[in-house]
C-alpha cells in the first residue's frame, strides 16, 4: 500500500514540477527574446522539465504496467489513458526543436562560445503550449483515477 501511495504521490508531484518548470522556461525564453542576456534560467528550468519527464515516465510506467495500480488491462482499455499518452506524445514532438537547440547551447556555453537566441520567442510559445498540455494530462489522470469511462 505504501509503494502504491508513494508512486502516485511522486507521479502527481512530477506533474506539478513539470508544469512549473516548462512555464518558467517559457518565461525565460521570452525574456531572452526581449534582449535579456542570461540563458542560465532557461537551462535550469529545462533541467527540471527533463527531471519531471523522467519521473513521469518511470512512475507512470510502474503504475500502469508494473502491477502497482489497476492493472495493464485497465489502462490499455481506458480512453482517458490513451488521451493522456497522446498528449504526452504531442509534448515530446513539440520538445524536439527546443531540446536540440538547448543541447547546442550547453555545448556552446561550455566552450565559451555565444548562443543563438533567434528562436527564443518561438520556444517560449512552445513551452507555454506544453504547459497547457500538461494541465490537460492532469485532467485526464483525474478522470482515470475516478474510473470515468465513455460509452
Amino acid at each position: 500500500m505504501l509503494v502504491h501511495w508513494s508512486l502516485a504521490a511522486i507521479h502527481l508531484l512530477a506533474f506539478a514540477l513539470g508544469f512549473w518548470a516548462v512555464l518558467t522556461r517559457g518565461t525565460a525564453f521570452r525574456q531572452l527574446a526581449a534582449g535579456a542576456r542570461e540563458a542560465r534560467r532557461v537551462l535550469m528550468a529545462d533541467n527540471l522539465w527533463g527531471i519531471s519527464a523522467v519521473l513521469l515516465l518511470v512512475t507512470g510506467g510502474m503504475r500502469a504496467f508494473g502491477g502497482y495500480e489497476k492493472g495493464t488491462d485497465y489502462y490499455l482499455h481506458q480512453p482517458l489513458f490513451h488521451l493522456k499518452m497522446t498528449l504526452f506524445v504531442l509534448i515530446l514532438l513539440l520538445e524536439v526543436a527546443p531540446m536540440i537547440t538547448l543541447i547546442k547551447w550547453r555545448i556552446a556555453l561550455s566552450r565559451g562560445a555565444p548562443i543563438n537566441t533567434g528562436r527564443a520567442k518561438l520556444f517560449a510559445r512552445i513551452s507555454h503550449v506544453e504547459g497547457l498540455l500538461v494541465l490537460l494530462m492532469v485532467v485526464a489522470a483525474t478522470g482515470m483515477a475516478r474510473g470515468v469511462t465513455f460509452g
Side-chain angles (χ1 to χ4, degrees):
M1 177 77 137
L2 183 59
V3 173
H4 299 261
W5 184 21
S6 298
L7 283 173
I10 292 168
H11 196 65
L12 290 175
L13 289 170
F15 275 112
L17 174 63
F19 180 69
W20 175 83
V22 78
L23 291 182
T24 299
R25 185 184 79 173
T27 301
F29 269 130
R30 183 163 285 134
Q31 290 169 346
L32 278 177
R37 298 197 181 271
E38 186 60 55
R40 290 182 203 269
R41 189 164 170 233
V42 171
L43 297 175
M44 181 62 77
D46 187 63
N47 288 342
L48 293 173
W49 177 226
I51 289 167
S52 73
V54 169
L55 285 171
L56 286 168
L57 279 171
V58 170
T59 59
M62 289 174 70
R63 294 178 74 206
F65 306 113
Y68 289 101
E69 289 293 330
K70 295 173 176 94
T72 302
D73 191 56
Y74 171 81
Y75 288 100
L76 293 179
H77 293 92
Q78 170 50 269
L80 289 173
F81 178 75
H82 292 278
L83 173 62
K84 191 176 163 188
M85 292 303 97
T86 299
L87 294 168
F88 188 74
V89 169
L90 285 173
I91 290 171
L92 290 176
L93 292 173
L94 286 169
E95 190 60 24
V96 171
M99 179 179 58
I100 291 169
T101 297
L102 292 176
I103 289 169
K104 290 178 181 179
W105 284 16
R106 284 180 171 89
I107 292 168
L109 289 171
S110 73
R111 295 179 178 164
I115 57 171
N116 179 358
T117 60
R119 298 195 318 171
K121 190 173 182 179
L122 170 65
F123 294 153
R125 273 194 217 109
I126 288 172
S127 296
H128 290 136
V129 168
E130 290 173 345
L132 174 63
L133 295 175
V134 168
L135 283 181
L136 293 174
M137 287 178 71
V138 171
V139 171
T142 60
M144 285 171 34
R146 274 132 194 93
V148 173
T149 59
F150 301 96

